[in-house]
Amino acid sequence: MDDRKIGQFIRELREEARMSQGELADLCYVSRTVEGRWELGKIGVTSQNLIYLSKIFDISVDELLAGERKKKNFPSKLSDITLNEIDKNAKLRKLLKRTLLGILLLALAFFVYFFYTFYNSVQVYKIYFDSNKYLAEYGLVTKMKDKIYFYLDINYDAANKDDIEEIHLYYENNSKVKTIKKVTNMQPFIIVDYLGYEEYFDFDNFNKILDNMYLEVKFKNDILDKVKLSFKRDYVNNKAFLNKDKKIVEEKDVGNIDNKSKSEIYGKFKKLKEIAKNSGDENYLEYELDGVRYELFINDDNLVVRFIDALSSYSYKYVNLTSNKEYFSVYLLSDDDMTEKYRVDIQSNKCDFGECYKFDDDYKKFSELIDSIINGN
């Protein structure tokens, strides 16, 4: 049975009878849209409508099904079984459409549930803070919809540990202090919080809390040292489909400092060597700037700057020049062990190693120190 051919035949019969689609639709007790879809072959004609059409146009049902007028040797009558099969096929098509629609609705409901439940449900932040006295040795916050893990380990090497009386972790809310945890020893802050319990965090205002979180160290002489914590989002599950990374370490642009040419850097090295030589040792120089004392170790291909004030003796800054690249690196010194924290390729302004988020500030301080020494300020 060819629905398109049947539809074309119905249109021809209607036009012969000089009837509009609306008039024919009314006689068949269907809408004009349905009649139009018959003629286009978009839907089949039911057995009841075939009977209506055969009476309206005075034509047999079998001719309608054939899509043409009766010819010689054409069957004279369509059996009831064939009409029943037509109805069954129509019902089957309806059932199939409803089934497909149901499947699509279920799939849509699943994806809506999935994204509501899991999308953006896990957020991971790294913890930093800018202090000459303490270092965030390792800090990580993981937030899920119903649970928060908070871990912060602090390196107190620059401060006198024996003089520390209490460490207070808190956040400010409308000028009010909300204590998260207080400790009296050097143990890490390890906190687990649950939705509905909220002893430490308000889940609905989590981002606001991160923007106003502080660490306060109280010394035995009642001196308080306050440091604001910074949080950098490291991961969030906001991808519907995951792609395997081809490169484990991704190069990142850092800072907005103009690239320095080798000739300029080497020129400054020569001037520093001359200044150091006039002081008694061309490879070593001590200098004080803004109340901070520095040691400079001036070599043929690198310059090491060491902070030697009491608050930051653990900190090293280091510039390394090779035949192909220029690097700026920061080292930390603890128990005579130098640990490289990050390294930046000066020529490309790319982070070559570690977390380079403090590059702008560190390089600016380094440049100001060198220029101050050379200019004699």
Side-chain angles (χ1 to χ4, degrees), residues 105-320:
L105 289 175
L106 285 174
L108 179 61
F110 170 77
F111 279 109
V112 170
Y113 170 77
F114 175 83
F115 279 101
Y116 176 77
T117 306
F118 299 103
Y119 184 81
N120 206 32
S121 62
V122 179
Q123 301 175 37
V124 180
Y125 298 83
K126 289 185 177 180
I127 306 174
Y128 306 97
F129 53 80
D130 189 9
S131 172
N132 291 327
K133 296 182 180 181
Y134 324 107
L135 171 70
E137 191 74 21
Y138 183 79
L140 203 66
V141 182
T142 301
K143 180 185 180 297
M144 294 172 281
K145 285 187 176 295
D146 59 347
K147 188 179 293 187
I148 294 174
Y149 293 94
F150 183 99
Y151 182 89
L152 176 61
D153 193 6
I154 303 170
N155 186 335
Y156 298 92
D157 286 343
N160 192 336
K161 298 179 183 179
D162 295 333
D163 291 338
I164 296 177
E165 182 176 310
E166 182 181 76
I167 302 104
H168 183 196
L169 182 67
Y170 66 94
Y171 65 90
E172 295 181 353
N173 184 15
N174 297 325
S175 301
K176 294 182 179 179
V177 174
K178 171 67 176 179
T179 297
I180 298 176
K181 195 172 183 180
K182 290 183 179 181
V183 296
T184 56
N185 51 31
M186 305 300 110
Q187 67 185 22
F189 287 92
I190 303 175
I191 302 167
V192 181
D193 204 4
Y194 300 87
L195 179 65
Y197 187 53
E198 297 181 357
E199 179 181 354
Y200 307 103
F201 299 97
D202 180 354
F203 280 68
D204 294 333
N205 296 305
F206 180 73
N207 290 330
K208 184 177 180 181
I209 290 174
L210 295 189
D211 291 338
N212 296 278
M213 190 175 296
Y214 296 87
L215 182 74
E216 186 177 78
V217 179
K218 181 181 179 181
F219 293 87
K220 293 179 180 178
N221 56 5
D222 291 332
I223 294 178
L224 297 177
D225 187 52
K226 180 180 177 180
V227 179
K228 189 178 189 302
L229 303 188
S230 298
F231 297 84
K232 181 181 178 182
R233 192 163 69 177
D234 189 62
Y235 170 79
V236 59
N237 64 329
N238 57 2
K239 295 181 180 180
F241 302 98
L242 301 179
N243 296 321
K244 186 176 180 180
D245 289 337
K246 294 181 179 179
K247 194 173 182 181
I248 296 176
V249 179
E250 178 183 338
E251 287 189 337
K252 297 180 179 179
D253 290 324
V254 293
N256 299 307
I257 297 178
D258 294 334
N259 294 336
K260 304 296 181 179
S261 67
K262 282 189 173 65
S263 59
E264 181 183 353
I265 298 295
Y266 274 121
K268 290 185 177 182
F269 273 17
K270 290 180 181 179
K271 291 181 181 180
L272 285 174
K273 275 183 172 289
E274 292 176 2
I275 295 172
K277 187 175 182 180
N278 293 333
S279 299
D281 186 345
E282 66 175 350
N283 298 113
Y284 178 80
L285 182 65
E286 289 191 16
Y287 192 78
E288 184 172 335
L289 178 64
D290 297 331
V292 180
R293 292 176 60 238
Y294 303 90
E295 286 183 322
L296 285 79
F297 299 89
I298 310 164
N299 304 306
D300 292 334
D301 61 354
N302 63 72
L303 169 64
V304 178
V305 178
R306 178 183 178 184
F307 294 79
I308 58 175
D309 62 292
L311 298 180
S312 54
S313 60
Y314 65 88
S315 180
Y316 271 74
K317 293 189 177 180
Y318 171 70
V319 170
N320 181 29

Side-chain angles (χ1 to χ4, degrees), residues 260-262 265-266 269 297 299-305 317-331 340 342-347 352 363 366:
K260 304 296 181 179
S261 67
K262 282 189 173 65
I265 298 295
Y266 274 121
F269 273 17
F297 299 89
N299 304 306
D300 292 334
D301 61 354
N302 63 72
L303 169 64
V304 178
V305 178
K317 293 189 177 180
Y318 171 70
V319 170
N320 181 29
L321 299 178
T322 66
S323 58
N324 297 319
K325 288 188 176 182
E326 301 177 32
Y327 290 105
F328 179 84
S329 303
V330 171
Y331 290 81
E340 188 176 24
Y342 72 79
R343 184 192 315 127
V344 172
D345 184 336
I346 297 295
Q347 291 175 323
D352 196 58
Y363 196 85
F366 167 78

Side-chain angles (χ1 to χ4, degrees), residues 53-116:
L53 291 169
S54 69
K55 292 179 179 180
I56 294 168
F57 297 121
D58 193 21
I59 193 172
S60 64
V61 172
D62 51 353
E63 287 177 299
L64 284 168
L65 291 174
E68 57 185 347
R69 296 186 184 277
K70 185 186 294 185
K71 296 178 181 179
K72 192 174 182 179
N73 299 325
F74 198 86
S76 61
K77 188 177 180 181
L78 187 68
S79 68
D80 292 338
I81 296 175
T82 304
L83 288 173
N84 289 334
E85 287 299 319
I86 293 172
D87 284 341
K88 286 181 180 178
N89 289 336
K91 291 179 179 178
L92 183 60
R93 285 194 293 269
K94 282 186 178 180
L95 179 61
L96 181 60
K97 288 181 180 178
R98 289 176 179 174
T99 302
L100 290 175
L101 180 60
I103 292 173
L104 289 175
L105 289 175
L106 285 174
L108 179 61
F110 170 77
F111 279 109
V112 170
Y113 170 77
F114 175 83
F115 279 101
Y116 176 77

